[in-house]
Amino acid sequence: MVERQLRQHKVEIDTDEDKVMIELPETKDVQKEAGLYQSRCRFCDAPLSHTFVDLGMSPLCESYLSAEQLNQMEPFYPLHVYVCDRCYLVQLEQYVSAEDIFTEYAYFSSYADTWLQHASCYTDLMVERFGLNEESHVVEVASNDGYLLQYFVEKNIPVLGVEPAANVAKVAIEKGVPTRIEFFGVHSAQQMAEEGLYADLIAGNNVLAQVPDLNDFVAGMKILLKPQGVITIEFPHLMCLVEENQFDTIYHEHFSYFSFITAEKIFAAHGLTLFDVEELPTHGGSLRIYARHQKDDSMPVGERVIELRQRELDAGLTSMDYYAAFDEQVKETKRKLLDFLIEARRAGKVVVGYGAPGKGNTLLNYCGIRTDFLDFTVDRNPYKQGKFLPGTHIPIFEPGRITEKEPDYVLILPWNFKDEIMEQMKHIRDWGGKFVVPIPEPGVY
Ligand SMILES: [Zn+2]
């Protein structure tokens, strides 16, 4: 009886052509009070009972510690990832509020040169393909410090950014990129629509994974999109994560991990059709999807959509066996890495780390690698130097420390930049030093 009452939460999403019913999960607190709490799918609300991978307990991966904090309590949260057996959305429960994670965000996109280049190329591509001009309106959700919209501003194309982190939004505004400081969703989209701020292009890069209320977010984009408008969204591709064994890219800040097929299902539920897709090398393999209103047939569904959908079907992304195999694959990687480290340390070798990225923290905490295995790590970012890695408390120094110490092995934590790092640090060969790369398979170079 109580359950029936609890399950009656539905929301009607009014698309142009028909009404789409989405069941909304009750709040966790209400369910817990009724003794009915169970994790449910962020998209389709089915109960979650299938583990994709369980990485144990981990601290938030960007919570670097100062020396004074080492003796204090440190919050750890589960990194237990589930897969929904109805829609195949791979997902992590939200343990920390989005406000806590994102309102004072330390990551400024404009500090990464390659990312700026990516943004500039994207702008040229969109302007040319969709004929954007002074009459158009471009909206970016999670617009960060204006790293992307600044290129549209240069071309005199009106823009609007939406960004919840006030400190980074402020930087964007100072650069001349109008930005609203808020979380994007149905509520903010309706307000913008009332002001006539409909969009010809809505861009969202690496935000979809971080949205706690996925349906509210996609429904918001539907509301804001002009009848002939286009949405482009970039996110890490789940198939790459599995094939390349990139389990260390799982963080508490990333709630959802998408295949193309699941993304297509989610957008379709909100009256949006994916008509094109590109595969990008960013973040270990990402997708850029292109969406439009279902009834806008001016842009037919392209070859690349049909080809990728088929490739995912052939790979088994709509079969639970595909997901069930991942957990064991990850455990085996942990055993291999620990085998190597135990043997090296027993033989009296010195092993240190290179880099202090978020992914390194997932890997080290999951594997239980502390200063018993890695004496220290180094990072070029001055903000991290002098601090300690969350959970494992490995000290972070500046890169020169490696030259002083002359270690036998350097474990590269940001493996996505391994070629660049091996080139920069090639002088370790002078004293016989070697590189170790943990992902996809632990290997010595
Ligand atoms: Zn689901």
Side-chain angles (χ1 to χ4, degrees):
M1 183 63 199
V2 184
E3 179 159 34
R4 199 170 309 137
Q5 281 171 6
L6 286 173
R7 308 290 343 125
Q8 278 172 351
H9 264 243
K10 289 188 177 180
V11 66
E12 204 175 66
I13 292 165
D14 202 0
T15 70
D16 299 342
E17 47 284 343
D18 52 2
K19 290 190 190 311
V20 180
M21 294 293 289
I22 301 275
E23 255 188 63
L24 286 186
E26 257 296 350
T27 67
K28 223 190 267 184
D29 289 345
V30 174
Q31 291 180 3
K32 275 180 179 160
E33 240 167 68
L36 289 170
Y37 177 67
Q38 186 183 12
S39 294
R40 287 182 173 271
C41 176
R42 175 165 289 121
F43 165 57
C44 77
D45 199 35
L48 294 174
S49 54
H50 299 273
T51 292
F52 174 63
V53 64
D54 186 355
L55 300 172
M57 300 291 284
S58 224
L60 295 183
C61 75
E62 297 289 339
S63 311
Y64 298 90
L65 304 173
S66 62
E68 306 83 73
Q69 288 172 302
L70 291 180
N71 293 332
Q72 292 166 11
M73 274 205 295
E74 197 178 351
F76 276 56
Y77 305 91
L79 263 185
H80 189 161
V81 187
Y82 288 91
V83 56
C84 174
D85 59 4
R86 202 193 286 168
C87 71
Y88 306 106
L89 180 64
V90 168
Q91 55 197 293
L92 191 63
E93 197 175 322
Q94 184 187 353
Y95 297 100
V96 190
S97 83
E99 281 78 8
D100 283 345
I101 299 176
F102 299 116
T103 42
E104 181 79 23
Y105 203 38
Y107 188 75
F108 285 79
S109 297
S110 293
Y111 284 153
D113 290 345
T114 47
W115 194 236
L116 283 180
Q117 213 175 342
H118 180 80
S120 168
C121 291
Y122 169 85
T123 306
D124 293 340
L125 193 70
M126 292 304 118
V127 169
E128 192 179 319
R129 180 164 177 185
F130 301 112
L132 302 173
N133 57 37
E134 292 84 349
E135 309 287 304
S136 312
H137 191 226
V138 178
V139 173
E140 188 186 14
V141 282
S143 50
N144 203 276
D145 59 2
Y147 74 100
L148 171 67
L149 291 178
Q150 61 184 352
Y151 296 109
F152 287 95
V153 170
E154 274 177 16
K155 294 177 192 292
N156 293 318
I157 298 168
V159 300
L160 180 60
V162 185
E163 169 57 52
N167 60 334
V168 286
K170 209 173 136 248
V171 175
I173 294 164
E174 282 163 7
K175 257 189 233 178
V177 175
T179 305
R180 293 190 167 204
I181 303 169
E182 59 193 25
F183 280 97
F184 182 79
V186 168
H187 179 72
S188 72
Q190 275 166 346
Q191 274 183 340
M192 286 159 74
E194 269 170 34
E195 294 168 43
L197 297 168
Y198 289 97
D200 296 275
L201 174 66
I202 301 177
N205 291 336
N206 299 304
V207 57
L208 202 62
Q210 307 185 354
V211 170
D213 191 342
L214 196 52
N215 286 314
D216 184 68
F217 185 84
V218 180
M221 293 195 291
K222 170 83 182 169
I223 291 168
L224 197 62
L225 193 65
K226 281 188 189 172
Q228 308 268 302
V230 173
I231 300 169
T232 76
I233 301 282
E234 291 178 27
F235 52 81
H237 189 191
L238 178 65
M239 195 158 73
C240 292
L241 188 154
V242 172
E243 281 174 5
E244 300 292 316
N245 200 27
Q246 299 164 353
F247 65 88
D248 58 343
T249 61
I250 293 168
Y251 321 127
H252 293 105
E253 293 86 339
H254 289 178
F255 307 129
S256 310
Y257 303 82
F258 305 89
S259 63
F260 179 75
I261 290 173
T262 297
E264 202 172 31
K265 223 176 265 187
I266 294 167
F267 279 73
H270 293 276
L272 295 163
T273 298
L274 304 189
F275 66 94
D276 197 7
V277 59
E278 283 176 83
E279 291 173 80
L280 310 171
T282 44
H283 299 286
S286 296
L287 295 182
R288 177 188 290 149
I289 54 171
Y290 292 75
R292 57 155 165 85
H293 289 289
Q294 252 157 25
K295 72 169 184 189
D296 170 18
D297 47 18
S298 64
M299 290 171 284
V301 174
E303 264 314 299
R304 292 195 285 208
V305 166
I306 295 157
E307 192 274 325
L308 180 57
R309 195 195 288 137
Q310 190 57 47
R311 193 148 34 96
E312 285 194 352
L313 282 170
D314 294 344
L317 276 104
T318 54
S319 131
M320 290 305 283
D321 295 344
Y322 179 87
Y323 302 94
F326 190 63
D327 196 45
E328 184 52 36
Q329 176 183 319
V330 171
K331 283 179 191 155
E332 186 52 26
T333 309
K334 171 176 179 170
R335 293 178 200 121
K336 279 186 189 156
L337 183 58
L338 288 175
D339 271 350
F340 167 80
L341 290 170
I342 290 168
E343 213 173 291
R345 297 306 298 236
R346 279 221 178 104
K349 306 287 186 193
V350 175
V351 190
V352 304
Y354 186 98
K359 57 167 71 71
N361 289 327
T362 296
L363 178 83
L364 299 173
N365 277 294
Y366 169 63
C367 295
I369 297 168
R370 301 184 182 82
T371 49
D372 43 2
F373 289 116
L374 286 191
D375 290 355
F376 59 84
T377 191
V378 299
D379 201 281
R380 290 164 82 188
N381 182 346
Y383 166 81
K384 295 178 183 172
Q385 294 165 5
K387 295 212 161 106
F388 296 81
L389 298 183
T392 58
H393 296 190
I394 294 170
I396 310 165
F397 298 125
E398 51 91 29
R401 184 64 75 106
I402 289 184
T403 317
E404 284 166 32
K405 184 87 177 181
E406 301 195 349
D408 300 288
Y409 295 106
V410 175
L411 175 66
I412 298 179
L413 296 169
W415 44 260
N416 45 330
F417 298 117
K418 65 173 189 291
D419 295 336
E420 219 173 300
I421 292 165
M422 285 189 205
E423 180 55 33
Q424 272 167 29
M425 299 296 295
K426 63 180 177 215
H427 59 278
I428 73 163
R429 312 269 186 210
D430 296 348
W431 62 79
K434 292 191 170 96
F435 295 102
V436 182
V437 179
I439 303 288
E441 281 279 291
V444 177
Y445 298 84

